[in-house]
Amino acid sequence: MTVDDRLTGEDRDFLASYDPHAFPPVAVTVDLVILTVRDGQLCVLLIRRGAPPHRGSWALPGGFVGPRETLDEAARRELAEETGLVTGAHMEQLATYGDPARDPRMRVVSVAYLALVPDLPTPVAGTDASEARYRPVADLAGGAAPALAFDHDRILADGIERARAKLEYTGLATTFLDEPFTISDLRRVYETVWGVPLHAANFRRKVLSTPGFVEPTGEKLATGRGWAELYRRGATAHLHPALPRPPAT
């Protein structure tokens, strides 16, 4: 049953005289916080805007939602355009940002998404960007770099905190890795995202004692100092017990 099928006769009479132009226009966009681990650093995909407003400024990738797109469809389209990934990435709705003055063009409400992806080839800028690049989030913190366009600094900060929190109680850290991987590879993801060193033996014990977190492949990788067992992602969605995040030093 479609929405139209549920309309009553009264609804149709009302809509026949309804004037949508009686209200100020509001546009809807999606913005993506796309995080990955590159060269031992937590990085975010940024684009340099090729057109006003904020031409030349760095920003999160995103765009306007099409008239016949759902929010998730628009976000998936933007992710595919920016990374080439159609499947295999974790993506979830982060938050909605609707301050009246966040966009100088008009009232624009943005629904932000968080995407966690494995290391990917160097991105190519799309049609509305002059450049695209993975930037270490550490280089963007504390005013060390120019502010991002619009309110994207706030969106990025929210996305990073969401990713750090979710690593405590979900298996999403494995999303940053190509399969198969070692426990050491997984530990380095946690250390990179959390920004703290972890005790290798304790981490291994916690991971292997958490049902469904990882599954052994039965294969081993030569490390130069011996052999490391290889694993794939497990089936569990939530870790129990959780892996508590150590305090930052």
Side-chain angles (χ1 to χ4, degrees):
M1 180 180 291
T2 67
V3 174
D4 286 344
D5 293 332
R6 292 194 291 268
L7 294 175
T8 66
E10 182 183 23
D11 292 332
R12 297 181 190 279
D13 290 340
F14 166 75
L15 292 174
S17 59
Y18 179 76
D19 180 13
H21 300 292
F23 302 93
V26 177
V28 180
T29 63
V30 291
D31 288 308
L32 274 61
V33 180
I34 303 173
L35 298 178
T36 192
V37 174
R38 293 170 66 95
D39 301 323
Q41 299 184 88
L42 180 64
C43 297
V44 61
L45 180 61
L46 297 179
I47 58 98
R48 191 187 292 274
R49 291 184 56 80
H54 304 299
R55 186 204 300 268
S57 295
W58 290 98
L60 297 171
F64 287 90
V65 178
R68 297 191 177 276
E69 281 185 314
T70 67
L71 294 172
D72 287 355
E73 288 170 348
R76 288 286 176 190
R77 171 179 55 77
E78 290 290 342
L79 180 66
E81 290 175 358
E82 298 295 344
T83 69
L85 280 176
V86 178
T87 60
H90 170 81
M91 188 162 65
E92 64 181 65
Q93 200 171 114
L94 174 63
T96 301
Y97 301 83
D99 289 349
R102 63 177 303 274
D103 192 309
R105 292 169 291 190
M106 62 180 297
R107 182 72 188 272
V108 176
V109 175
S110 180
V111 181
Y113 282 76
L114 171 66
L116 309 180
V117 301
D119 192 8
L120 297 169
T122 301
V124 177
T127 56
D128 57 350
S130 61
E131 188 178 354
R133 185 187 304 174
Y134 282 105
R135 299 279 300 274
V137 299
D139 293 350
L140 303 172
L148 301 181
F150 307 106
D151 54 356
H152 289 187
D153 287 296
R154 176 188 173 193
I155 299 175
L156 175 58
D158 291 346
I160 292 170
E161 180 53 35
R162 170 76 68 84
R164 287 172 173 165
K166 297 208 75 164
L167 261 59
E168 297 187 54
Y169 60 90
T170 74
L172 286 178
T174 60
T175 310
F176 288 109
L177 296 168
D178 290 321
E179 295 179 308
F181 52 81
T182 67
I183 297 297
S184 294
D185 293 331
L186 184 60
R187 188 187 77 249
R188 284 190 285 271
V189 168
Y190 273 88
E191 291 176 332
T192 299
V193 176
W194 283 350
V196 294
L198 301 174
H199 189 279
N202 287 344
F203 178 82
R204 179 182 180 84
R205 174 179 55 79
K206 290 178 180 179
V207 169
L208 296 183
S209 64
T210 304
F213 190 176
V214 297
E215 297 177 356
T217 65
E219 301 176 339
K220 294 185 178 182
L221 176 70
T223 65
R225 295 179 296 175
W227 295 86
E229 294 179 280
L230 292 171
Y231 295 84
R232 64 173 65 94
R233 300 178 186 92
T236 188
H238 291 84
L239 304 182
H240 184 74
L243 294 175
R245 183 186 353 172
T249 55

